Amino acid sequence: MNYQPVVIIGSGLAGYAVARELRKLNTEIQVIMLSADHGGFYSKPMLSNALATGKTPASILTSDAALMSSQLKITIRPFTRVNTIDQSGNSILLENGENLSYSHLVLALGADPIRLLLSGGAVEEVLSVNDLDDYRRFREALKDKKEIAILGAGLIGCEFANDLAISGYQVHVIDISAHPLGRLLPEEGGRYLQDKLAAVGIRFHLKSKIQYIERIGSRYRLIFEEGQIIEADLVLSAVGLRPRTQLAEKAGLYVNHGVVTNRYLQTENTNIFALGDCAEVEGKVLPFVMPISHAARALAATVIGTPTPVHYPPMPVFVKTPACPIVVSPPDPIVIGEWQIDANQDGVKALFQDMAGNLHGFALLGAATKEKNAITPQLPPILA
Ligand code: FAD
């Protein structure tokens, strides 16, 4: 019998999903959650539509660490960073020098915002938002500001742009791609989205690359590689995330784009698991909420003693751009096929089919989003 605790590193949606699933299956097992941040529970997706929905950083926090600890009957240690994993000793070393043993270790470490390599004296002042503390800083910085430049026209960039624009800010969005949501939408969908976002006042600078950011008084000057110049009161970077793999890599665990796991969410060390934004499960890095729920359920069952592989059904993602409702289920990049597009002024229905006509993904915009429930069951599972 192993009396060491299950240790979860990370108090994001992934860490808490595992803690909840463990408690559903077993009320006795000792669980310790360690978090580099405040350790409270909040829904991260709310950050990119909080202005329009009237939420503040304080109201986004659902429960603080103390409340979560008493609800879930687990020990939560906020502001406790893990520095090293000792695989052979089944223990971890904390930043404060303390050693902690585990029976099972769960890595729910999240991801770091990618920073563009830019020059200029104000590069360090560019903000990014990937957690509640970032968002608090962002909201503080927004006070008395009018014009915001967003680097990146991906999902997070478009959501923040829409939220800011409908809340009265002037918004610029800069991206090297030819249309917004370039990785999720076919061209027709991107153009439709761009038109809808432009209609709420968002100004796009596409096929453009920022090179230099400097401060001019209380404002920023952004200089493009192509020579164009814009000014803004605040610059927000939303150019993507990189899974936090350093801790696993330092411990000698296999890392590719994320911390590599099998279908059981196990790394090559069968007592060390990973899920959420830091993980690469069977070759897939899926930085969204739905995969976390499925992974947490399987992981908890395995830890309790019933080895359970994760199954991912189709998991469409809603893009929170109220100016242009969107739901997407991107095809697996290894599938060869093409988009079938049905576009009109009310929306775009794009279906990605392989050469045999089988459906592998979709992008539905505007009125076409209504078809999501009818189309989703026709998709293959993401992990059968
Ligand atoms: P995180 O929430 O990043 O948690 C990581 C945790 O690990 C943190 O508590 C951190 O402190 C801790 N940690 C890291 N390193 C250490 C260490 N060494 N020691 C101790 N603790 C450590 N997904 C959707 O499906 N739909 C949406 O609409 C959507 N909207 C989004 C909007 C925004 C603005 C953002 C940023 C993301 C959005 N996502 C959305 C993605 C989704 O929110 C994430 O996939 C999910 O929240 C990731 O949870 P996580 O627990 O893996 O990571």
Side-chain angles (χ1 to χ4, degrees), residues 198-334:
V200 293
I202 296 167
R203 288 164 65 186
F204 281 95
H205 308 267
L206 298 169
K207 295 190 199 162
S208 302
K209 213 168 164 184
I210 291 288
Q211 200 171 41
Y212 194 88
I213 302 183
E214 62 185 351
R215 224 181 209 292
I216 306 289
S218 63
R219 281 170 57 88
Y220 296 101
R221 178 181 285 163
L222 291 81
I223 304 177
F224 294 62
E225 210 172 77
E226 299 77 13
Q228 194 191 342
I229 294 175
I230 59 168
E231 287 193 9
D233 301 314
L234 195 150
V235 186
L236 178 68
S237 171
V239 295
L241 295 173
R242 186 173 293 123
R244 289 193 182 115
T245 55
Q246 303 88 332
L247 202 56
E249 200 168 2
K250 211 165 72 174
L253 294 168
Y254 185 42
V255 158
N256 187 31
H257 297 297
V259 180
V260 170
T261 82
N262 60 16
R263 291 283 292 265
Y264 296 86
L265 292 314
Q266 274 163 331
T267 64
E268 68 217 274
N269 179 325
T270 51
N271 291 334
I272 304 181
F273 299 75
L275 82 166
D277 284 7
C278 71
E280 179 174 331
V281 181
E282 284 270 301
K284 293 179 195 307
V285 177
L286 299 170
F288 299 109
V289 175
M290 283 299 288
I292 289 176
S293 315
H294 292 280
R297 226 170 293 138
L299 193 161
T302 301
V303 165
I304 298 299
T306 310
T308 305
V310 66
H311 295 277
Y312 287 149
M315 297 180 284
V317 176
F318 284 94
V319 184
K320 300 185 295 296
T321 43
C324 178
I326 302 177
V327 56
V328 288
S329 185
D332 189 326
I334 63 166

Side-chain angles (χ1 to χ4, degrees), residues 71-239:
Q71 275 177 3
L72 291 169
K73 301 195 171 29
I74 64 175
T75 302
I76 303 178
R77 295 179 57 179
F79 307 111
T80 302
R81 183 170 286 281
V82 177
N83 267 356
T84 315
I85 302 167
D86 173 9
Q87 281 200 67
S88 56
N90 285 342
S91 67
I92 51 177
L93 179 65
L94 310 185
E95 199 173 37
N96 64 8
E98 190 186 334
N99 248 302
L100 199 64
S101 297
Y102 59 80
S103 63
H104 300 82
L105 180 67
V106 178
L107 307 179
L109 303 164
D112 283 315
I114 293 172
R115 303 286 290 187
L116 293 175
L117 282 174
L118 302 171
S119 49
V123 171
E124 293 303 317
E125 294 172 44
V126 172
L127 299 178
S128 45
V129 175
N130 187 38
D131 59 37
L132 189 53
D133 289 330
D134 291 339
Y135 191 65
R136 210 170 272 124
R137 282 187 284 275
F138 174 65
R139 286 290 287 264
E140 201 52 41
L142 262 186
K143 284 181 185 154
D144 308 321
K145 305 289 186 338
K146 286 197 181 71
E147 199 168 1
I148 317 299
I150 298 179
L151 313 184
L155 189 135
I156 308 288
C158 285
E159 291 188 349
F160 273 115
N162 198 156
D163 201 38
L164 286 160
I166 57 179
S167 306
Y169 294 87
Q170 293 165 35
V171 183
H172 298 267
V173 175
I174 302 127
D175 201 297
I176 46 170
S177 54
H179 56 80
L181 283 193
R183 281 205 232 134
L184 297 175
L185 301 179
E187 194 184 329
E188 291 82 349
R191 265 195 268 119
Y192 185 85
L193 169 64
Q194 186 179 342
D195 288 348
K196 295 290 175 193
L197 292 181
V200 293
I202 296 167
R203 288 164 65 186
F204 281 95
H205 308 267
L206 298 169
K207 295 190 199 162
S208 302
K209 213 168 164 184
I210 291 288
Q211 200 171 41
Y212 194 88
I213 302 183
E214 62 185 351
R215 224 181 209 292
I216 306 289
S218 63
R219 281 170 57 88
Y220 296 101
R221 178 181 285 163
L222 291 81
I223 304 177
F224 294 62
E225 210 172 77
E226 299 77 13
Q228 194 191 342
I229 294 175
I230 59 168
E231 287 193 9
D233 301 314
L234 195 150
V235 186
L236 178 68
S237 171
V239 295

